[in-house]
Amino acid sequence: MTITAGRVIVCSPGRNFVTLRLETADGVAGLGDATLNGRELAVASYLNDHVVPLLIGRDARRIEDIWQFLYKGAYWRRGPVTMTAIAAVDMALWDIKGKALGAPVYQLLGGASRDAVTVYAHASGETIEDAVESARRHAGMGYTAVRVQCGIPGVERPYGIARGDRYEPAERGPLSETVWNTEPYLAIVPRLFDRLRRELGSEIALLHDAHHRLTPIEAARLGRALEPYSLFWLEDPTPAENPEVFRLIRQHTTTPLAVGEVFNSIHDCRQLLEEQLVDYIRTSVAHAGGITHMRRIAAVAEIHGVRMGSHGATDLSPVCLAAALHFDLHVHNFGIQEYMPHSAETDRVFPHAYRFHAGVMHPGDAPGLGVELDEALAATFPYEPAWLPVARRADGTMHDW
Ligand code: CS2
Ligand code: MG
């Protein structure tokens, strides 16, 4: 099982993806997702220039040792670029191991802890009425959980509102600057959830993403205002670089909190877990060191009564979604998985075994991760620079996007 080659494939079937393909002397190849939205080529270079040359000749079966080799061996630890590159190698090695042993990855992890993985959909609309309608439509498609975002009076292009049939934050062409205003946001979100509960009832799980835009006391105020509507979670209420600020939010509200989509390591999560300052950790397999490192985060979360809820935006490729589904199906302290269906072009470039039915997903039973990459088709969708927008307050001050 000697690694003989590693190739980085950058393609843009609707949006940019970076994929690592590792090959072995036995003819078994594996895929890993290395997409870091808006900073794609940095990871491609890290892999091509600094990782792949070191992998040639190594035993692909030694997943743990290769993880430690890449993490400790670089001397420079953590950070999104490094951890995304390590994650891509890790996913590809689990894929290879599964294919070599003829087993889906979730079986290698210890088998299924549940029959299927509950996912939440994205519902959104410019107005409360449109957002409620979108949530109702998703409930009609079988989803039992929906994240709901709506437009904010006076805020042009707020976060999370679908344009056309899907939400895609990265934009091709010049960088766009949006304007943010917290007060009208804090006023409208409780009204949105009041309508949702009145119209959709108490059964459906409702989620909301504040996308790191609030100060701790604003987040506390929103959490408290949302308590009557029993959210499944309030996501990224405030930037989480300093975990201590979550103490203040916790003092004021029982609305469950979720964080983690920009985390890269267990060290980002540790204090939040130890002090039980959050209820869900939402790290992604692609940005937090792969399946190998996600297992460690989940193990620490479990002893503190915190559940996992993998980030699953469309900027994570089908390879990452598959890896997340194998992990979710297995991990005992699973919460919920985000699911934003990829575009038809993306699905054609990455044929996959995972499937959605009636609000739940299953990774399928194909050996490995169960995702392939049609490289000839991928080559017809060359990389196109794209940027995540930035946000400023009305007086021009940079704000968290
Ligand atoms: C988001 C993402 O899915 C989510 O919860 O917060 O859409 C996020 O904005 C993107 O993944 C950024 O790349
Ligand atoms: Mg989010």
Side-chain angles (χ1 to χ4, degrees):
M1 278 279 133
T2 305
I3 300 172
T4 50
R7 271 178 313 112
V8 178
I9 299 112
V10 182
C11 63
S12 196
R15 66 157 353 278
N16 291 321
F17 294 111
V18 179
T19 311
L20 174 69
R21 183 184 154 95
L22 290 181
E23 290 166 13
T24 63
D26 304 50
V28 182
L31 296 178
D33 180 20
T35 309
L36 185 62
N37 203 5
R39 297 292 186 269
E40 293 87 1
L41 300 185
V43 188
S45 160
Y46 192 97
L47 283 167
N48 270 324
D49 299 325
H50 306 293
V51 171
V52 168
L54 300 176
L55 294 177
I56 308 302
R58 285 180 196 277
D59 183 349
R61 294 172 300 187
R62 298 183 60 169
I63 300 177
E64 177 67 25
D65 182 61
I66 289 178
W67 196 97
Q68 299 293 345
F69 168 73
L70 293 175
Y71 185 77
K72 295 182 197 285
Y75 185 62
W76 311 108
R77 296 187 184 192
R78 303 158 62 183
V81 175
T82 302
M83 296 303 278
T84 303
I86 294 177
V89 173
D90 187 75
M91 275 181 252
L93 294 178
W94 281 102
D95 195 22
I96 288 171
K97 193 181 284 289
K99 286 175 181 161
L101 297 175
V105 166
Y106 76 85
Q107 294 292 9
L108 306 180
L109 298 174
S113 292
R114 53 195 54 79
D115 300 331
V117 172
T118 301
V119 297
Y120 69 88
H122 277 212
S124 68
E126 288 294 345
T127 63
I128 289 182
E129 289 66 35
D130 290 350
V132 172
E133 204 30 58
S134 165
R136 196 194 300 284
R137 212 170 40 246
H138 284 92
M141 291 158 68
Y143 287 97
T144 57
V146 275
R147 179 192 105 157
V148 194
Q149 312 289 134
C150 72
I152 304 159
V155 174
E156 232 182 272
R157 302 186 29 243
Y159 163 79
I161 312 296
R163 282 185 275 166
D165 65 339
R166 63 190 57 249
Y167 170 64
E168 173 52 69
E171 293 169 3
R172 292 169 176 171
L175 178 93
S176 73
E177 299 212 348
T178 60
V179 176
W180 176 249
N181 193 347
T182 301
E183 279 306 319
Y185 169 75
L186 289 177
I188 201 163
V189 175
R191 285 178 45 215
L192 168 67
F193 283 88
D194 183 59
R195 272 290 283 282
L196 285 162
R197 275 292 172 234
R198 279 194 284 127
E199 297 208 14
L200 302 185
S202 57
E203 288 286 294
I204 189 155
L206 297 174
L207 301 82
H208 181 71
D209 188 353
H211 217 253
H212 306 110
R213 290 187 178 198
L214 303 175
T215 65
I217 197 67
E218 289 164 352
R221 193 175 131 199
L222 181 62
R224 183 176 280 187
L226 291 173
E227 279 172 26
Y229 315 114
S230 305
L231 262 59
F232 186 94
W233 77 38
L234 172 61
E235 175 176 329
D236 292 334
T238 193
E241 287 106 320
N242 177 3
E244 285 166 24
V245 302
F246 277 73
R247 289 183 192 147
L248 186 141
I249 307 174
R250 275 301 217 212
Q251 278 161 22
H252 294 284
T253 181
T254 55
T255 292
L257 303 176
V259 293
E261 68 182 42
V262 301
F263 287 180
N264 315 119
S265 144
I266 195 165
H267 300 289
D268 298 321
C269 310
R270 194 177 49 79
Q271 189 177 353
L272 292 169
L273 295 173
E274 285 172 357
E275 293 190 34
Q276 293 169 322
L277 296 176
V278 296
D279 303 280
Y280 297 91
I281 286 287
R282 294 184 63 256
T283 40
S284 72
V285 180
H287 301 149
I291 292 173
T292 296
H293 198 63
M294 286 284 277
R295 297 180 89 185
R296 288 194 161 83
I297 296 173
V300 177
E302 184 178 9
I303 58 176
H304 295 291
V306 173
R307 291 191 284 161
M308 305 297 290
S310 294
H311 182 207
T314 37
D315 45 278
L316 301 157
S317 89
V319 178
C320 180
L321 178 58
L325 291 170
H326 285 279
F327 175 80
D328 298 338
L329 193 66
H330 160 70
V331 75
H332 175 71
N333 52 325
F334 169 69
I336 201 161
Q337 169 70 48
E338 179 180 24
Y339 177 48
M340 294 171 73
H342 287 104
S343 68
E345 301 105 289
T346 299
D347 282 342
R348 278 205 307 279
V349 168
F350 294 94
H352 49 257
Y354 60 74
R355 53 189 187 270
F356 169 86
H357 176 69
V360 299
M361 293 185 78
H362 193 283
D365 282 296
L369 293 174
V371 183
E372 295 306 324
L373 171 60
D374 181 336
E375 287 195 48
L377 187 58
T380 67
F381 297 104
Y383 169 75
E384 292 194 35
W387 309 97
L388 287 171
V390 299
R392 291 185 187 273
R393 294 200 284 273
D395 71 354
T397 310
M398 272 302 287
H399 194 75
D400 303 280
W401 180 78

